[in-house]
Amino acid sequence: MSTVYDCNDPDGREAGLAAAASAVRSGGLVVLPTDTVYGVGADAFDPSAVAALLAAKGRGRDMPVPVLVGSWSTVDGLVMSVPRHARALIEAFWPGGLSIVLPQAPSLSWDLGETRGTVNLRMPLHPVALELLREVGPMAVSSANRSGHPPTTTAEQAREQLGDSVSVYLDGGPSGEPIASTIVDLTGGKPVVLREGAVKLDEISEVLGVEVEHPQ
């Protein structure tokens, strides 16, 4: 049985964050508000929990799960290195709607799906999400919807799609326009935008000082 917590109420937020942290640590799934759309998350280092997340969404391992972090410094322990372009984008757009793909640290014992040795990282601009991430560490988080269905902008919409597969729902109110994050791939020689969303191409090009590729 899942529980919904109203995070707009101080007592509900405190209880909800405690319940969510406990659920994550015990391998459960949590729905949380972000600055883009609602997400469903699990402990990034618990392969069984990540598999349950994929199953709840009806999603295959060929679509690996991104990782949300609660601080800039967390990234250093998750990737092989943080190149100059990555630092510039993090300083300009985090926390916010920009995801960065980098080669993961080879020592990490996680299984996010068929990542081909990379990891998709983002720091969300939402106080509830950040508080949970700073409590439990990096989380594997995907949009809180069944695969093929629209992204959800409220906890209630997420619950309608994911039901009791999720232990805790953190209700932070409507998320606003359902705009996905922009994804920039920095694993090759040149920055490549895999998906344009909340952050525009010209903004990225201006920060990096180079023309950014966007394959159609």
Side-chain angles (χ1 to χ4, degrees), residues 20 29 72 79 85 88 132 140 183:
L29 304 184
W72 292 6
V79 300
H85 281 164
L132 179 59
I183 303 175

Side-chain angles (χ1 to χ4, degrees), residues 1-5 29-31 155 158-160 162-169:
M1 177 67 74
S2 58
T3 307
V4 180
Y5 292 89
L29 304 184
V30 172
V31 159
R159 195 177 189 191
E160 288 171 1
L162 300 175
D164 285 340
S165 62
V166 171
S167 301
V168 174
Y169 288 82

Side-chain angles (χ1 to χ4, degrees), residues 125-176:
L125 181 58
H126 195 288
V128 173
L130 288 174
E131 193 167 342
L132 179 59
L133 290 163
R134 288 166 181 165
E135 176 66 26
V136 302
M139 290 180 64
V141 180
S142 183
S143 56
N145 57 280
R146 293 282 298 172
S147 187
H149 290 67
T152 57
T153 58
T154 67
E156 184 56 37
Q157 289 176 1
R159 195 177 189 191
E160 288 171 1
Q161 293 197 39
L162 300 175
D164 285 340
S165 62
V166 171
S167 301
V168 174
Y169 288 82
L170 298 178
D171 186 350
S175 65

Side-chain angles (χ1 to χ4, degrees), residues 50-51 53-65 112-115 142 147:
V50 176
L53 188 159
L54 290 170
K57 284 179 61 75
R59 178 169 166 172
R61 287 175 49 81
D62 58 320
M63 298 178 69
V65 187
L112 303 170
E114 301 302 332
T115 64
S142 183
S147 187

Side-chain angles (χ1 to χ4, degrees), residues 34-38 97 122 126 150-154 157 173-181 197-200:
T34 79
D35 49 334
T36 55
V37 295
Y38 269 74
R122 187 168 86 87
H126 195 288
T152 57
T153 58
T154 67
Q157 289 176 1
S175 65
E177 290 296 320
I179 302 173
S181 66
V199 178
K200 300 306 176 189

Side-chain angles (χ1 to χ4, degrees), residues 94-117:
W94 279 18
L98 185 77
S99 299
I100 300 173
V101 180
L102 290 167
Q104 72 168 54
S107 60
L108 291 181
S109 58
W110 62 12
D111 184 359
L112 303 170
E114 301 302 332
T115 64
R116 298 179 176 85

